[in-house]
Amino acid sequence: MKTKILKGSIVVFVLLLLFVSVASISAESNDTSVLSLSKSGITINYPSNWGYSQAISPYSIMAISKADDVDSFGVGQVNINIEKKPIEGDFATFVNKTYEPMKYDSNYQLVSSGSSMIAGNKAFEYIYTSKENNVAKEHKAVWFEKGGQAYVLLYSAPMDKFESNLYVFDYILSDIQIT
């Protein structure tokens, strides 16, 4: 009889501990709301623990970074940059030429490439790694064409932070509005 009461108490204790853990996680996730950013016919929604940041590329139309990974120059180490470039020639050829130099630079390694869809538009996707100034990063780039312009959404993060933040990039890709 005491064994059944003891087992029942343990089950109740474990369930209570599980309930408190779930409530704690739910409270933490409720602190994050969704923000929007719109420019050049592109609208994205992103979590409030990310924010607008500086981009290094002159083609950037908007950039966001994980708020706790922005350096003293305002550049995010975990970031999503959206660029717009004029297309020279055929779109597929233009995109593929962008990655051609990687074959000859040991600081870059192409991991995969293929096609996908973004907001109903045919897109090209590239995943690659880089090493600059002894910092190894992983990148995911998704390219699409609109109005004779090439757009690229580029997610970059240090290797140890890439997978854990990829869900934000994937959410933006699934929810992006292109007008």
Side-chain angles (χ1 to χ4, degrees):
M1 182 75 167
K2 284 184 176 184
T3 306
K4 284 185 179 182
I5 293 173
L6 183 60
K7 285 182 183 178
S9 297
I10 291 172
V11 169
V12 169
F13 176 75
V14 169
L15 288 174
L16 184 59
L17 187 59
L18 182 63
F19 175 77
V20 169
S21 297
V22 169
S24 172
I25 290 169
S26 295
E28 288 176 19
S29 65
N30 287 339
D31 291 342
T32 304
S33 58
V34 176
L35 302 173
S36 291
L37 187 58
S38 186
K39 193 169 181 184
S40 296
I42 306 290
T43 301
I44 62 168
N45 295 310
Y46 59 95
S48 60
N49 60 346
W50 285 61
Y52 191 78
S53 65
Q54 295 297 318
I56 298 170
S57 170
Y59 297 104
S60 181
I61 57 174
M62 66 176 93
I64 61 170
S65 299
K66 190 170 181 189
D68 60 359
D69 277 314
V70 176
D71 65 20
S72 60
F73 299 105
V75 177
Q77 300 308 301
V78 176
N79 65 65
I80 298 169
N81 187 31
I82 301 173
E83 297 180 7
K84 176 180 166 183
K85 299 179 180 184
I87 297 173
E88 299 167 7
D90 174 68
F91 177 63
T93 303
F94 174 77
V95 173
N96 287 326
K97 280 185 179 179
T98 302
Y99 296 94
E100 186 69 26
M102 286 184 186
K103 293 178 182 178
Y104 310 105
D105 188 340
S106 62
N107 289 318
Y108 292 91
Q109 179 67 46
L110 184 61
V111 175
S112 68
S113 64
S115 60
S116 63
M117 295 292 285
I118 179 170
N121 296 300
K122 182 180 176 185
F124 296 102
E125 180 178 294
Y126 291 82
I127 298 175
Y128 60 97
T129 60
S130 68
K131 188 170 185 180
E132 293 180 25
N133 300 324
N134 290 326
V135 177
K137 287 189 168 188
E138 190 164 355
H139 312 272
K140 183 175 181 180
V142 178
W143 293 79
F144 67 94
E145 179 182 14
K146 178 184 169 272
Q149 300 286 313
Y151 289 81
V152 61
L153 283 76
L154 176 62
Y155 165 59
S156 298
M159 299 285 275
D160 62 335
K161 297 180 180 181
F162 184 84
E163 286 297 325
S164 63
N165 293 288
L166 182 59
Y167 73 97
V168 174
F169 185 69
D170 290 340
Y171 171 73
I172 289 171
L173 287 176
S174 71
D175 189 57
I176 194 168
Q177 298 163 30
I178 304 166
T179 55

